[in-house]
Short mmCIF file of all heavy atoms in Angstrom, two decimals:
data_model
loop_
_atom_site.label_atom_id
_atom_site.label_comp_id
_atom_site.label_asym_id
_atom_site.label_seq_id
_atom_site.Cartn_x
_atom_site.Cartn_y
_atom_site.Cartn_z
N ASN D 1 -12.34 7.62 10.63
CA ASN D 1 -11.75 6.99 11.81
C ASN D 1 -11.08 5.66 11.42
O ASN D 1 -9.96 5.37 11.84
CB ASN D 1 -12.81 6.75 12.88
CG ASN D 1 -13.28 8.04 13.51
OD1 ASN D 1 -12.51 8.98 13.66
ND2 ASN D 1 -14.56 8.10 13.89
N ALA D 2 -11.79 4.87 10.61
CA ALA D 2 -11.22 3.59 10.17
C ALA D 2 -10.01 3.81 9.27
O ALA D 2 -9.00 3.11 9.39
CB ALA D 2 -12.29 2.77 9.43
N LEU D 3 -10.09 4.81 8.38
CA LEU D 3 -8.96 5.08 7.50
C LEU D 3 -7.77 5.58 8.31
O LEU D 3 -6.61 5.25 8.01
CB LEU D 3 -9.36 6.12 6.44
CG LEU D 3 -8.37 6.29 5.28
CD1 LEU D 3 -8.17 4.98 4.54
CD2 LEU D 3 -8.85 7.38 4.32
N GLY D 4 -8.03 6.35 9.35
CA GLY D 4 -6.96 6.80 10.22
C GLY D 4 -6.27 5.65 10.94
O GLY D 4 -5.05 5.65 11.11
N ARG D 5 -7.06 4.65 11.33
CA ARG D 5 -6.48 3.47 12.00
C ARG D 5 -5.61 2.68 11.02
O ARG D 5 -4.57 2.13 11.40
CB ARG D 5 -7.57 2.60 12.60
CG ARG D 5 -8.28 3.26 13.78
CD ARG D 5 -9.13 2.26 14.54
NE ARG D 5 -10.21 1.72 13.74
CZ ARG D 5 -11.42 2.25 13.66
NH1 ARG D 5 -11.71 3.38 14.32
NH2 ARG D 5 -12.37 1.70 12.94
N ILE D 6 -6.04 2.59 9.76
CA ILE D 6 -5.22 1.92 8.74
C ILE D 6 -3.91 2.68 8.56
O ILE D 6 -2.83 2.08 8.48
CB ILE D 6 -5.98 1.83 7.40
CG1 ILE D 6 -7.15 0.83 7.53
CG2 ILE D 6 -5.05 1.40 6.27
CD1 ILE D 6 -8.03 0.73 6.29
N ALA D 7 -3.99 4.01 8.51
CA ALA D 7 -2.77 4.82 8.38
C ALA D 7 -1.84 4.59 9.56
O ALA D 7 -0.61 4.49 9.39
CB ALA D 7 -3.15 6.30 8.26
N ASP D 8 -2.39 4.49 10.77
CA ASP D 8 -1.57 4.23 11.96
C ASP D 8 -0.82 2.91 11.84
O ASP D 8 0.38 2.82 12.14
CB ASP D 8 -2.44 4.19 13.22
CG ASP D 8 -2.94 5.57 13.62
OD1 ASP D 8 -2.32 6.57 13.20
OD2 ASP D 8 -3.95 5.65 14.34
N ARG D 9 -1.52 1.87 11.40
CA ARG D 9 -0.90 0.55 11.26
C ARG D 9 0.21 0.59 10.20
O ARG D 9 1.28 0.00 10.38
CB ARG D 9 -1.95 -0.50 10.90
CG ARG D 9 -2.88 -0.89 12.06
CD ARG D 9 -3.86 -1.94 11.61
NE ARG D 9 -4.77 -2.35 12.66
CZ ARG D 9 -4.57 -3.34 13.51
NH1 ARG D 9 -3.46 -4.05 13.42
NH2 ARG D 9 -5.47 -3.66 14.42
N MET D 10 -0.05 1.27 9.09
CA MET D 10 0.96 1.34 8.03
C MET D 10 2.16 2.17 8.47
O MET D 10 3.30 1.85 8.13
CB MET D 10 0.33 1.92 6.76
CG MET D 10 -0.72 1.00 6.13
SD MET D 10 -1.58 1.73 4.70
CE MET D 10 -0.24 1.83 3.50
N TYR D 11 1.91 3.22 9.23
CA TYR D 11 2.99 4.08 9.70
C TYR D 11 3.94 3.32 10.63
O TYR D 11 5.16 3.53 10.61
CB TYR D 11 2.39 5.29 10.43
CG TYR D 11 3.41 6.25 10.99
CD1 TYR D 11 4.15 7.08 10.15
CD2 TYR D 11 3.63 6.34 12.36
CE1 TYR D 11 5.09 7.97 10.66
CE2 TYR D 11 4.56 7.22 12.88
CZ TYR D 11 5.29 8.04 12.03
OH TYR D 11 6.22 8.91 12.55
N GLU D 12 3.38 2.45 11.45
CA GLU D 12 4.17 1.70 12.43
C GLU D 12 4.76 0.41 11.87
O GLU D 12 5.59 -0.24 12.52
CB GLU D 12 3.30 1.38 13.64
CG GLU D 12 2.84 2.64 14.39
CD GLU D 12 1.71 2.36 15.37
OE1 GLU D 12 1.30 1.17 15.47
OE2 GLU D 12 1.25 3.31 16.03
N ALA D 13 4.37 0.02 10.65
CA ALA D 13 4.80 -1.26 10.09
C ALA D 13 6.25 -1.23 9.64
O ALA D 13 6.76 -0.19 9.18
CB ALA D 13 3.91 -1.64 8.91
N GLU D 14 6.91 -2.37 9.76
CA GLU D 14 8.27 -2.51 9.24
C GLU D 14 8.23 -2.72 7.72
O GLU D 14 9.14 -2.30 7.00
CB GLU D 14 8.97 -3.67 9.92
CG GLU D 14 9.22 -3.43 11.42
CD GLU D 14 9.87 -4.62 12.09
OE1 GLU D 14 10.28 -5.57 11.36
OE2 GLU D 14 9.97 -4.63 13.32
N ILE D 15 7.20 -3.39 7.26
CA ILE D 15 7.01 -3.61 5.83
C ILE D 15 5.52 -3.68 5.53
O ILE D 15 4.74 -4.19 6.32
CB ILE D 15 7.72 -4.91 5.35
CG1 ILE D 15 7.64 -5.02 3.83
CG2 ILE D 15 7.14 -6.14 6.04
CD1 ILE D 15 8.53 -6.11 3.24
N ILE D 16 5.14 -3.11 4.39
CA ILE D 16 3.74 -3.10 3.96
C ILE D 16 3.64 -3.90 2.67
O ILE D 16 4.36 -3.63 1.70
CB ILE D 16 3.25 -1.66 3.70
CG1 ILE D 16 3.42 -0.80 4.95
CG2 ILE D 16 1.80 -1.66 3.24
CD1 ILE D 16 3.32 0.69 4.67
N THR D 17 2.74 -4.87 2.65
CA THR D 17 2.48 -5.63 1.42
C THR D 17 1.06 -5.34 0.97
O THR D 17 0.12 -5.44 1.74
CB THR D 17 2.65 -7.14 1.65
OG1 THR D 17 4.00 -7.41 2.03
CG2 THR D 17 2.33 -7.91 0.38
N VAL D 18 0.94 -4.96 -0.30
CA VAL D 18 -0.35 -4.60 -0.87
C VAL D 18 -0.80 -5.71 -1.82
O VAL D 18 -0.05 -6.12 -2.71
CB VAL D 18 -0.28 -3.27 -1.64
CG1 VAL D 18 -1.65 -2.91 -2.23
CG2 VAL D 18 0.22 -2.15 -0.72
N PHE D 19 -2.01 -6.20 -1.61
CA PHE D 19 -2.64 -7.17 -2.52
C PHE D 19 -3.74 -6.42 -3.26
O PHE D 19 -4.71 -5.97 -2.66
CB PHE D 19 -3.22 -8.35 -1.74
CG PHE D 19 -2.20 -9.14 -0.97
CD1 PHE D 19 -1.85 -8.77 0.32
CD2 PHE D 19 -1.58 -10.23 -1.53
CE1 PHE D 19 -0.91 -9.49 1.05
CE2 PHE D 19 -0.63 -10.96 -0.83
CZ PHE D 19 -0.30 -10.58 0.47
N ALA D 20 -3.59 -6.27 -4.58
CA ALA D 20 -4.51 -5.43 -5.35
C ALA D 20 -5.22 -6.24 -6.44
O ALA D 20 -4.58 -6.98 -7.19
CB ALA D 20 -3.77 -4.26 -5.98
N GLN D 21 -6.54 -6.06 -6.51
CA GLN D 21 -7.31 -6.63 -7.61
C GLN D 21 -6.88 -5.96 -8.91
O GLN D 21 -6.51 -4.77 -8.92
CB GLN D 21 -8.81 -6.39 -7.36
CG GLN D 21 -9.73 -7.11 -8.31
CD GLN D 21 -11.20 -6.88 -7.96
OE1 GLN D 21 -11.52 -6.19 -6.99
NE2 GLN D 21 -12.09 -7.45 -8.74
N GLU D 22 -6.87 -6.69 -10.01
CA GLU D 22 -6.29 -6.22 -11.27
C GLU D 22 -6.80 -4.84 -11.68
O GLU D 22 -6.01 -3.98 -12.08
CB GLU D 22 -6.59 -7.23 -12.38
CG GLU D 22 -5.96 -6.85 -13.72
CD GLU D 22 -6.25 -7.88 -14.80
OE1 GLU D 22 -6.94 -8.88 -14.51
OE2 GLU D 22 -5.80 -7.67 -15.93
N GLN D 23 -8.13 -4.60 -11.57
CA GLN D 23 -8.69 -3.32 -12.02
C GLN D 23 -8.22 -2.14 -11.19
O GLN D 23 -8.36 -0.99 -11.59
CB GLN D 23 -10.22 -3.37 -12.00
CG GLN D 23 -10.84 -4.41 -12.93
CD GLN D 23 -11.13 -5.70 -12.20
OE1 GLN D 23 -10.31 -6.17 -11.41
NE2 GLN D 23 -12.29 -6.28 -12.45
N TYR D 24 -7.67 -2.43 -10.00
CA TYR D 24 -7.30 -1.34 -9.08
C TYR D 24 -5.79 -1.31 -8.83
O TYR D 24 -5.33 -0.75 -7.85
CB TYR D 24 -8.09 -1.49 -7.77
CG TYR D 24 -9.56 -1.60 -8.07
CD1 TYR D 24 -10.20 -2.83 -8.05
CD2 TYR D 24 -10.30 -0.48 -8.46
CE1 TYR D 24 -11.54 -2.95 -8.38
CE2 TYR D 24 -11.63 -0.59 -8.80
CZ TYR D 24 -12.25 -1.83 -8.76
OH TYR D 24 -13.58 -1.93 -9.10
N LEU D 25 -5.04 -1.89 -9.76
CA LEU D 25 -3.58 -1.86 -9.66
C LEU D 25 -3.04 -0.43 -9.80
O LEU D 25 -2.05 -0.07 -9.16
CB LEU D 25 -2.95 -2.75 -10.73
CG LEU D 25 -2.69 -4.20 -10.34
CD1 LEU D 25 -2.18 -4.98 -11.54
CD2 LEU D 25 -1.71 -4.29 -9.18
N GLN D 26 -3.67 0.37 -10.63
CA GLN D 26 -3.16 1.73 -10.86
C GLN D 26 -3.14 2.55 -9.57
O GLN D 26 -2.10 3.13 -9.23
CB GLN D 26 -3.99 2.44 -11.93
CG GLN D 26 -3.46 3.83 -12.27
CD GLN D 26 -4.22 4.48 -13.39
OE1 GLN D 26 -4.95 3.84 -14.15
NE2 GLN D 26 -4.08 5.78 -13.52
N PRO D 27 -4.25 2.63 -8.80
CA PRO D 27 -4.17 3.37 -7.54
C PRO D 27 -3.19 2.74 -6.56
O PRO D 27 -2.50 3.45 -5.81
CB PRO D 27 -5.59 3.34 -6.98
CG PRO D 27 -6.44 2.67 -7.97
CD PRO D 27 -5.61 2.24 -9.12
N ALA D 28 -3.09 1.40 -6.58
CA ALA D 28 -2.15 0.72 -5.68
C ALA D 28 -0.71 1.06 -6.05
O ALA D 28 0.12 1.32 -5.17
CB ALA D 28 -2.37 -0.79 -5.75
N GLU D 29 -0.40 1.06 -7.34
CA GLU D 29 0.96 1.37 -7.79
C GLU D 29 1.32 2.83 -7.50
O GLU D 29 2.46 3.13 -7.15
CB GLU D 29 1.09 1.07 -9.28
CG GLU D 29 1.07 -0.42 -9.58
CD GLU D 29 0.96 -0.72 -11.06
OE1 GLU D 29 0.63 0.20 -11.85
OE2 GLU D 29 1.17 -1.89 -11.44
N GLU D 30 0.35 3.72 -7.63
CA GLU D 30 0.61 5.12 -7.32
C GLU D 30 0.90 5.29 -5.83
O GLU D 30 1.80 6.05 -5.44
CB GLU D 30 -0.61 5.97 -7.72
CG GLU D 30 -0.46 7.46 -7.49
CD GLU D 30 0.56 8.11 -8.41
OE1 GLU D 30 1.03 7.45 -9.36
OE2 GLU D 30 0.89 9.29 -8.18
N LEU D 31 0.14 4.58 -4.99
CA LEU D 31 0.38 4.65 -3.55
C LEU D 31 1.76 4.09 -3.21
O LEU D 31 2.50 4.67 -2.39
CB LEU D 31 -0.71 3.87 -2.80
CG LEU D 31 -0.63 3.87 -1.27
CD1 LEU D 31 -0.80 5.29 -0.73
CD2 LEU D 31 -1.69 2.94 -0.68
N GLU D 32 2.12 2.98 -3.85
CA GLU D 32 3.44 2.38 -3.62
C GLU D 32 4.55 3.35 -4.02
O GLU D 32 5.53 3.54 -3.28
CB GLU D 32 3.58 1.09 -4.43
CG GLU D 32 4.95 0.43 -4.27
CD GLU D 32 5.22 -0.62 -5.33
OE1 GLU D 32 4.79 -0.42 -6.49
OE2 GLU D 32 5.87 -1.63 -5.00
N ARG D 33 4.41 4.00 -5.17
CA ARG D 33 5.44 4.92 -5.65
C ARG D 33 5.62 6.09 -4.68
O ARG D 33 6.74 6.47 -4.33
CB ARG D 33 5.07 5.44 -7.04
CG ARG D 33 6.12 6.34 -7.67
CD ARG D 33 5.62 6.97 -8.95
NE ARG D 33 4.50 7.86 -8.73
CZ ARG D 33 4.63 9.11 -8.24
NH1 ARG D 33 5.82 9.58 -7.93
NH2 ARG D 33 3.57 9.86 -8.09
N ARG D 34 4.52 6.64 -4.23
CA ARG D 34 4.58 7.80 -3.34
C ARG D 34 5.19 7.44 -1.99
O ARG D 34 6.03 8.18 -1.46
CB ARG D 34 3.18 8.37 -3.13
CG ARG D 34 2.57 9.03 -4.35
CD ARG D 34 1.12 9.36 -4.08
NE ARG D 34 0.52 10.17 -5.13
CZ ARG D 34 -0.76 10.54 -5.14
NH1 ARG D 34 -1.55 10.17 -4.14
NH2 ARG D 34 -1.23 11.28 -6.12
N LEU D 35 4.75 6.31 -1.43
CA LEU D 35 5.25 5.93 -0.10
C LEU D 35 6.70 5.47 -0.16
O LEU D 35 7.47 5.71 0.78
CB LEU D 35 4.36 4.84 0.50
CG LEU D 35 2.93 5.29 0.88
CD1 LEU D 35 2.16 4.14 1.51
CD2 LEU D 35 2.96 6.49 1.83
N SER D 36 7.09 4.82 -1.24
CA SER D 36 8.49 4.42 -1.40
C SER D 36 9.40 5.64 -1.41
O SER D 36 10.49 5.62 -0.84
CB SER D 36 8.67 3.63 -2.70
OG SER D 36 8.00 2.39 -2.65
N ALA D 37 8.93 6.72 -2.04
CA ALA D 37 9.73 7.95 -2.09
C ALA D 37 9.92 8.55 -0.71
O ALA D 37 10.88 9.28 -0.47
CB ALA D 37 9.06 8.97 -3.02
N LEU D 38 9.00 8.23 0.22
CA LEU D 38 9.11 8.73 1.59
C LEU D 38 9.89 7.77 2.50
O LEU D 38 10.02 8.04 3.70
CB LEU D 38 7.72 8.97 2.18
CG LEU D 38 6.85 10.02 1.48
CD1 LEU D 38 5.51 10.15 2.19
CD2 LEU D 38 7.55 11.36 1.41
N GLY D 39 10.34 6.67 1.93
CA GLY D 39 11.14 5.73 2.71
C GLY D 39 10.41 4.54 3.27
O GLY D 39 10.97 3.75 4.03
N TYR D 40 9.14 4.38 2.90
CA TYR D 40 8.39 3.22 3.39
C TYR D 40 8.82 1.96 2.64
O TYR D 40 9.06 2.01 1.43
CB TYR D 40 6.89 3.42 3.18
CG TYR D 40 6.24 4.35 4.19
CD1 TYR D 40 6.27 5.73 4.00
CD2 TYR D 40 5.60 3.85 5.32
CE1 TYR D 40 5.68 6.59 4.92
CE2 TYR D 40 5.01 4.70 6.24
CZ TYR D 40 5.06 6.06 6.03
OH TYR D 40 4.48 6.91 6.94
N ALA D 41 8.91 0.85 3.36
CA ALA D 41 9.17 -0.44 2.73
C ALA D 41 7.82 -1.01 2.31
O ALA D 41 7.08 -1.56 3.13
CB ALA D 41 9.87 -1.38 3.71
N ILE D 42 7.48 -0.87 1.04
CA ILE D 42 6.16 -1.27 0.55
C ILE D 42 6.32 -2.05 -0.74
O ILE D 42 7.17 -1.74 -1.58
CB ILE D 42 5.26 -0.03 0.35
CG1 ILE D 42 3.86 -0.45 -0.15
CG2 ILE D 42 5.90 1.02 -0.54
CD1 ILE D 42 2.84 0.69 -0.13
N HIS D 43 5.50 -3.10 -0.87
CA HIS D 43 5.59 -4.01 -2.02
C HIS D 43 4.19 -4.39 -2.45
O HIS D 43 3.32 -4.66 -1.61
CB HIS D 43 6.38 -5.26 -1.63
CG HIS D 43 6.26 -6.38 -2.61
ND1 HIS D 43 6.98 -6.42 -3.78
CD2 HIS D 43 5.50 -7.52 -2.59
CE1 HIS D 43 6.67 -7.53 -4.44
NE2 HIS D 43 5.77 -8.20 -3.75
N ILE D 44 3.95 -4.41 -3.78
CA ILE D 44 2.66 -4.86 -4.31
C ILE D 44 2.79 -6.31 -4.75
O ILE D 44 3.69 -6.66 -5.52
CB ILE D 44 2.21 -4.00 -5.50
CG1 ILE D 44 1.88 -2.58 -5.03
CG2 ILE D 44 0.96 -4.60 -6.15
CD1 ILE D 44 1.44 -1.67 -6.15
N GLU D 45 1.86 -7.14 -4.30
CA GLU D 45 1.82 -8.53 -4.73
C GLU D 45 0.54 -8.73 -5.55
O GLU D 45 -0.56 -8.86 -5.01
CB GLU D 45 1.82 -9.48 -3.52
CG GLU D 45 1.91 -10.94 -3.90
CD GLU D 45 3.08 -11.24 -4.81
OE1 GLU D 45 4.21 -11.27 -4.32
OE2 GLU D 45 2.85 -11.40 -6.04
N SER D 46 0.69 -8.70 -6.88
CA SER D 46 -0.47 -8.82 -7.77
C SER D 46 -0.55 -10.17 -8.47
O SER D 46 -1.49 -10.44 -9.21
CB SER D 46 -0.43 -7.70 -8.83
OG SER D 46 0.78 -7.76 -9.57
N ASN D 47 0.46 -11.03 -8.24
CA ASN D 47 0.49 -12.35 -8.87
C ASN D 47 -0.20 -13.37 -7.95
O ASN D 47 0.33 -13.71 -6.90
CB ASN D 47 1.94 -12.78 -9.11
CG ASN D 47 2.04 -14.11 -9.83
OD1 ASN D 47 1.06 -14.85 -9.96
ND2 ASN D 47 3.23 -14.45 -10.31
N PRO D 48 -1.39 -13.86 -8.33
CA PRO D 48 -2.12 -14.81 -7.47
C PRO D 48 -1.31 -16.05 -7.13
O PRO D 48 -1.45 -16.61 -6.04
CB PRO D 48 -3.35 -15.17 -8.30
CG PRO D 48 -3.51 -14.04 -9.26
CD PRO D 48 -2.12 -13.58 -9.57
#
């Protein structure tokens, strides 16, 4: 239910910014690549 609500917010967003801890950049980058291919405006901010 909570994950579905996150998906709803991301679906309706004009832009999505992802803040990822260093060890979990790989799953974050994979999510960014996939969603970008679908036309989502998504950006990873990994620089503190």
Side-chain angles (χ1 to χ4, degrees):
N1 290 326
L3 192 59
R5 291 193 297 270
I6 291 176
D8 288 339
R9 287 181 180 269
M10 293 175 67
Y11 179 72
E12 296 166 1
E14 294 178 8
I15 186 168
I16 303 164
T17 298
V18 180
F19 298 88
Q21 189 177 359
E22 183 179 1
Q23 298 95 317
Y24 308 101
L25 269 175
Q26 183 176 343
E29 289 170 347
E30 182 69 9
L31 182 63
E32 178 195 36
R33 184 188 64 77
R34 291 172 171 177
L35 292 182
S36 293
L38 297 181
Y40 283 84
I42 181 170
H43 167 79
I44 293 180
E45 186 53 76
S46 58
N47 183 347

